[in-house]
Amino acid sequence: MLNPKQLFLVLLLALCSLSAWARPDEGMWLPMLLKQLNETDMQKKGMRLSAEDIYSINKSSLKDAIVQFGSGCTGEIISNQGLLLTNHHCGYGQIQSHSSVENDYLTKGFWAMSKEQEKPNPGLTATFIVRMEDVTKQILGDIPSNLTEAEREHRITTNIKKVQYGATNGTHYGAIIRPFFYGTEYYMYITETFRDIRLVGAPPESIGKFGGDTDNWMWPRHTGDFSIFRIYAGPDNKPADYSTNNKPYTPKHHLPISLAGIKEGDFTMVFGFPARTTEYLPSQGVSEIAEISDPAKVKIRTMRLHLLEQDMLADPKVRIQYAAKYASVSNSHKRWIGEMRGLKKLDAIAKKQDLEKQFAHWVSQETGRKSMYGHVLPHFEQNYTILANDISLTRDYYQEAALGVELLSYAQSFLDLAELIQKGYQTEQQKADIQTQIKGLLDAAPAYFKNYNQATDKKVFASLLEMYAIDIAYKYQPEALKKAMEAKKFTWASYADKVYGPSNLASLEKVTALLKLSPNAIKAKLLADPAVTLLQSFNNVYQEEILPVYNQLTEQNTLLNRLYLQGLREMQKDKKFYPDANSTLRVSYGKVEGYKPSEDVTYEYYTTLEGLIEKSGMTEIPDYRIPDKLRELHLKKDYGPYAINGKMPVAFLASNHTTGGNSGSPVINAKGELVGLNFDRNWEGTMSDIMYDPERVRNISLDVHYLLFLIDKFAGAGHLVQEMNVIYPSSQPDPVVKKESVEIKHKDNIFKTKKKVKIDD
Ligand code: ARG
Ligand code: GLU
């Protein structure tokens, strides 16, 4: 028997290891630092891979199956013929661009039944990370600490160009160098970007966007949010422009897909390109977001969405035109609402204040610290007070209300053109530059107007500008607006008529006619155009009175944040810090688990087709309509090999720290196999961009069972599943159990071991 003291020790130990195990993980980690910072922890949490299996420059590794899809999403390679999986909402623009009222792939879905039917997407890219490197020394090594922030920036830019050039000169690779920890460290990512990416398949919107904006950011969730593309390469397997001679890309690695099923507590990781987080803001920075910026942006977008929705419901043409725009306006709108609530519930401002108190105390303990960090917190306070006095709000209104009007944001490139012509039209260079701009605008116009409805935009104009006029201080009102409002019998609708009627920028015909004139005539017309002059007037206020103050304060805050974080890292020596997301490749890890959204409610960690069918019975919600075919498959339980115990899993929750940009990221199990496709976060967890809460932050993923079922059974595109490396339950022994022997046998690729075994339906 243990004596009480021993028993206590054992219990304490158990408790410690339990809490270490049970604590879900905050953090978006750098692939090349996993070995040093995370490997042990990840393995303790159940991972059966090594850091080298995830990121390696010597052999193929998981990272070779991950791409940045376009500029904002993630994708992963799931076949040895370059098949790329991402979200429906990531491929949305492409699916929409191939659609028309007659051939509406948004509504009907699209499936290429052979490679010839795959559809090219000019401009779309997929970027692999070849390797990454710590370049802090090359970037900061020769920079003295006594420079002003502007001088420092200048020297850094020069160094970055030098290092980029050295790394890529003479190759087809690119190099991205970004600051981490507010510019304390610099890392370089060597990239390989493919340019011939073709659409292979997408389910109908009623599946790919099931739940639409009603369910967006929410759990329980039943969205089949995926689309499939294929990367094509030149004959040498290198990136090439679109050509019918290109062939499917052969990847260094593609993810096997596991149908073994997941259970609560299973290790998961997410590999992708999270775009932006700000986890190290001071309390005032959090309050600026939670109390000024988020509420203002939400208010403006609520109005804009309401107006778009009215017109989309009234006219199917407008519905298609504005589908993608609506989804994107609504997406952040809802996220900001969640973020405000989440920060409040978490008492984020008070938590930050507590940390600041600790910091102040720590600083006060040594004179060295005092001279280094003593000014940081008071200076933050000063800067945020100025921002909170109109600057921040006016900036939000300029961006969300003024530029929320399509005519005004469209006018910006025309204003740029007019200013370019004004600078001179003499030298060959000037002429060439101007002609390039004109051609660019001419080429882009048809696509812009294909998705533009003047009547809708006019309503947005009237309402949003009225909001600006009411909510923004008089001194920040544009002159043009003040003058317009003085007119007799002024109404916002009549003002819209006065701007849109004579403007050359409100229809394709007028824009085309305008751009065919001589540069001088174009300039004259543009500088007299009511849309251009109104934009100019907004710009005057913004660029002369708001932006300079905002930029100066932000620059100072960056410097302060650099110091603050440096100090925090000194103060909390044992804590592992991860850098804020900055659209570079990261790994997050956690486990499969549900959560409690509120006191008396508990959520399961998964949803099923049963639940989806039940939701679809709520016929008053158009977002829940589903195709008959899906209903039939469910009735017949025609699930093929994709069900688990007769049920079809649809989506699941896990505690991986993710953000925008992680859409389309693979959710990978302990063995390196794909189990899910990340597409969202829970609403209660959206404040994780600013402060993470292990109790409530969850990422939402599509389950691979539903994915393969939809491709095979629903779309009849089983040939694509054949292309993939699908691992059916109990079809082979666990390849990683005898770790050493596996690694010795398959030295350069531990993933090569698996054979495709198909079991009967
Ligand atoms: N909330 C997800 C993300 O941030 C999905 C957005 C697209 N879906 C939508 N209904 N708007 O990207
Ligand atoms: N849907 C988001 C995206 O497009 C991911 C959700 C999130 O912000 O975590 O990246």
Side-chain angles (χ1 to χ4, degrees):
M1 276 299 276
L2 302 172
N3 68 36
K5 206 169 152 190
Q6 284 169 326
L7 189 70
F8 175 76
L9 270 177
V10 169
L11 277 177
L12 191 74
L13 266 175
L15 210 70
C16 286
S17 60
L18 194 74
S19 71
W21 194 87
R23 194 177 54 84
D25 275 82
E26 169 178 0
M28 301 171 171
W29 305 94
L30 297 185
M32 69 173 275
L33 299 182
L34 288 178
K35 176 127 203 107
Q36 188 183 325
L37 293 177
N38 314 94
E39 186 182 54
T40 313
D41 188 39
M42 291 169 91
Q43 288 173 343
K44 205 160 70 190
K45 294 192 159 99
M47 185 180 73
R48 302 208 238 157
L49 304 169
S50 65
E52 178 87 357
D53 295 331
I54 302 173
Y55 170 86
S56 171
I57 47 173
N58 302 314
K59 59 169 196 175
S60 67
S61 55
L62 289 184
K63 77 135 175 43
D64 297 315
I66 318 297
V67 293
Q68 184 160 42
F69 180 80
S71 55
C73 279
T74 304
E76 54 275 3
I77 309 300
I78 51 169
S79 91
N80 58 8
Q81 300 176 53
L83 214 52
L84 184 162
L85 177 65
T86 188
N87 290 144
H88 187 269
H89 76 263
C90 293
Y92 203 88
Q94 281 77 30
I95 304 164
Q96 184 190 34
S97 77
H98 297 296
S99 296
S100 58
V101 174
E102 304 75 50
N103 233 339
D104 183 357
Y105 298 132
L106 287 176
T107 303
K108 292 194 299 222
F110 167 78
W111 290 93
M113 288 303 161
S114 68
K115 298 209 171 68
E116 290 68 46
Q117 292 174 2
E118 297 176 358
K119 291 185 180 294
N121 300 286
L124 180 63
T125 57
T127 298
F128 289 91
I129 300 302
V130 181
R131 64 185 162 85
M132 60 177 294
E133 205 180 302
D134 182 352
V135 292
T136 311
K137 283 211 185 81
Q138 290 99 297
I139 303 299
L140 298 181
D142 63 350
I143 296 185
S145 55
N146 59 356
L147 297 185
T148 65
E149 197 54 15
E151 288 166 345
R152 184 180 187 269
E153 275 308 311
H154 181 74
R155 297 272 289 262
I156 287 176
T157 311
T158 314
N159 287 352
I160 286 182
K161 285 202 187 119
K162 223 189 304 176
V163 177
Q164 276 173 329
Y165 182 80
T168 58
N169 180 29
T171 74
H172 71 285
Y173 296 126
I176 293 168
I177 299 181
R178 296 255 162 83
F180 291 74
F181 297 115
Y182 290 92
T184 309
E185 294 170 20
Y186 281 80
Y187 288 86
M188 173 164 71
Y189 290 75
I190 301 294
T191 58
E192 185 175 36
T193 298
F194 287 81
R195 307 185 291 276
D196 182 356
I197 316 298
R198 302 186 198 167
L199 176 63
V200 174
E205 249 185 323
S206 50
I207 287 177
K209 209 185 156 186
F210 176 85
D213 291 303
T214 311
D215 278 9
N216 192 24
W217 297 112
M218 313 261 272
W219 186 260
R221 194 64 165 278
H222 302 87
T223 316
D225 194 346
F226 79 98
S227 59
I228 295 189
F229 289 77
R230 190 190 301 280
I231 302 182
Y232 279 80
D236 52 0
N237 207 34
K238 299 243 167 70
D241 288 330
Y242 170 80
S243 152
T244 47
N245 295 330
N246 287 350
K247 57 178 194 39
Y249 169 65
T250 309
K252 290 200 205 86
H253 180 60
H254 61 280
L255 296 177
I257 302 177
S258 166
L259 289 185
I262 45 158
K263 53 182 192 322
E264 193 140 34
D266 279 358
F267 173 88
T268 56
M269 69 184 169
V270 169
F271 213 161
F273 293 85
R276 191 177 130 81
T277 59
T278 47
E279 310 282 351
Y280 304 103
L281 289 177
S283 55
Q284 303 90 339
V286 177
S287 98
E288 190 218 357
I289 292 173
E291 286 160 6
I292 301 177
S293 209
D294 281 355
K297 293 187 294 194
V298 166
K299 178 177 172 187
I300 299 165
R301 286 200 181 191
T302 302
M303 174 56 83
R304 191 168 156 203
L305 287 167
H306 165 73
L307 297 168
L308 296 187
E309 190 185 10
Q310 271 184 342
D311 284 13
M312 287 167 77
L313 286 175
D315 181 350
K317 184 169 169 232
V318 180
R319 186 186 73 79
I320 293 187
Q321 286 179 319
Y322 279 77
K325 285 183 221 173
Y326 186 95
S328 98
V329 174
S330 127
N331 192 43
S332 295
H333 171 256
K334 198 163 177 184
R335 175 167 50 80
W336 290 323
I337 298 174
E339 185 171 87
M340 288 191 290
R341 293 186 190 165
L343 289 171
K344 195 158 176 200
K345 179 128 180 171
L346 198 50
D347 219 353
I349 298 175
K351 288 206 168 83
K352 290 279 184 183
Q353 284 166 343
D354 281 348
L355 182 65
E356 284 152 23
K357 268 190 209 131
Q358 280 179 49
F359 184 74
H361 176 72
W362 175 81
V363 170
S364 73
Q365 287 172 326
E366 272 182 23
T367 35
R369 289 181 199 161
K370 269 189 231 164
S371 62
M372 185 86 175
Y373 304 117
H375 66 291
V376 169
L377 293 178
H379 202 165
F380 265 139
E381 176 69 29
Q382 252 177 37
N383 286 354
Y384 278 107
T385 306
I386 305 175
L387 279 173
N389 272 322
D390 292 344
I391 298 294
S392 190
L393 193 72
T394 309
R395 177 171 178 271
D396 289 331
Y397 269 72
Y398 170 78
Q399 288 177 346
E400 288 290 326
L403 298 186
V405 177
E406 288 172 87
L407 180 67
L408 294 183
S409 60
Y410 189 51
Q412 185 61 55
S413 17
F414 289 85
L415 176 56
D416 294 343
L417 173 64
E419 283 169 354
L420 193 69
I421 301 174
Q422 202 156 29
K423 272 193 204 144
Y425 188 66
Q426 275 98 40
T427 71
E428 287 311 307
Q429 187 59 46
Q430 283 173 332
K431 284 184 189 167
D433 288 349
I434 289 163
Q435 286 313 329
T436 313
Q437 285 244 20
I438 293 176
K439 181 166 182 313
L441 289 170
L442 264 175
D443 290 349
Y448 170 80
F449 282 104
K450 180 176 177 234
N451 288 335
Y452 180 73
N453 186 44
Q454 195 192 114
T456 306
D457 194 37
K458 270 170 86 171
K459 292 181 201 162
V460 172
F461 175 99
S463 294
L464 264 47
L465 294 197
E466 179 176 9
M467 255 186 193
Y468 188 105
I470 293 174
D471 292 347
I472 293 302
Y474 189 75
K475 63 178 168 181
Y476 296 134
Q477 300 284 340
E479 287 307 319
L481 210 56
K482 288 189 203 164
K483 217 162 121 208
M485 285 188 289
E486 282 160 15
K488 261 193 238 126
K489 294 204 201 136
F490 170 85
T491 66
W492 289 99
S494 66
Y495 180 40
D497 288 336
K498 276 192 193 151
V499 174
Y500 285 70
S503 174
N504 285 295
L505 307 182
S507 75
L508 179 59
E509 299 67 44
K510 283 190 180 180
V511 166
T512 318
L514 170 80
L515 291 172
K516 298 229 155 104
L517 300 175
S518 74
N520 273 325
I522 294 179
K523 180 193 75 182
K525 281 209 183 266
L526 282 177
L527 293 179
D529 191 288
V532 175
T533 51
L534 177 57
L535 174 73
Q536 251 177 334
S537 188
F538 270 107
N539 284 352
N540 287 345
V541 174
Y542 182 66
Q543 282 159 6
E544 278 156 36
E545 298 181 51
I546 302 298
L547 205 55
V549 186
Y550 180 85
N551 282 346
Q552 196 196 354
L553 293 173
T554 312
E555 196 176 278
Q556 285 176 12
N557 284 348
T558 302
L559 177 87
L560 293 170
N561 241 138
R562 186 182 310 143
L563 278 171
Y564 182 41
L565 189 48
Q566 185 180 317
L568 286 176
R569 289 170 87 184
E570 268 176 55
M571 178 175 99
Q572 302 174 315
K573 281 232 159 52
D574 296 329
K575 184 175 160 179
K576 283 181 208 150
F577 284 79
Y578 62 93
D580 273 322
N582 57 1
S583 294
T584 58
L585 185 61
R586 303 293 180 93
V587 174
S588 313
Y589 57 96
K591 62 179 178 180
V592 174
E593 64 178 320
Y595 69 105
K596 276 175 75 67
S598 61
E599 210 30 55
D600 302 323
V601 184
T602 304
Y603 282 151
E604 285 282 7
Y605 69 91
Y606 69 99
T607 57
T608 62
L609 191 56
E610 307 295 327
L612 188 156
I613 298 291
E614 194 176 318
K615 248 188 198 174
S616 74
M618 300 164 72
T619 45
E620 72 283 9
I621 302 180
D623 283 337
Y624 292 159
R625 276 181 209 144
I626 56 168
D628 292 339
K629 175 99 185 265
L630 186 60
R631 215 178 280 285
E632 281 160 28
L633 289 167
H634 169 255
L635 265 179
K636 291 194 233 145
K637 299 276 175 285
D638 187 1
Y639 297 155
Y642 308 112
I644 295 184
N645 300 328
K647 286 207 167 183
M648 175 58 59
V650 170
F652 66 90
L653 290 173
S655 55
N656 303 286
H657 191 182
T658 54
T659 187
N662 271 124
S663 272
S665 296
V667 184
I668 297 172
N669 68 10
K671 295 190 271 181
E673 302 152 350
L674 187 74
V675 291
L677 174 65
N678 184 71
F679 68 92
D680 212 354
R681 236 180 318 163
N682 61 332
W683 210 15
E684 299 84 358
T686 44
M687 74 301 181
S688 67
D689 291 344
I690 294 154
M691 192 181 279
Y692 186 90
D693 175 2
E695 296 300 318
R696 295 148 62 77
V697 178
R698 299 291 179 267
N699 67 309
I700 302 178
S701 309
L702 171 67
D703 191 297
V704 290
H705 293 81
Y706 189 46
L707 169 77
L708 297 190
F709 160 77
L710 287 172
I711 298 174
D712 186 352
K713 288 287 169 178
F714 178 81
H719 63 286
L720 295 174
V721 178
Q722 291 299 323
E723 228 189 282
M724 303 169 195
N725 179 6
V726 180
I727 304 182
Y728 295 86
S730 69
S731 58
Q732 64 272 299
D734 179 345
V736 203
V737 174
K738 289 204 195 97
K739 205 155 179 252
E740 278 100 335
S741 70
V742 170
E743 276 187 356
I744 292 163
K745 236 166 63 200
H746 305 280
K747 214 172 180 173
D748 43 302
N749 190 350
I750 61 155
F751 306 99
K752 272 188 197 147
T753 55
K754 292 151 199 158
K755 274 260 142 46
K756 197 164 8 183
V757 182
K758 189 144 166 88
I759 54 167
D760 266 340
D761 294 5

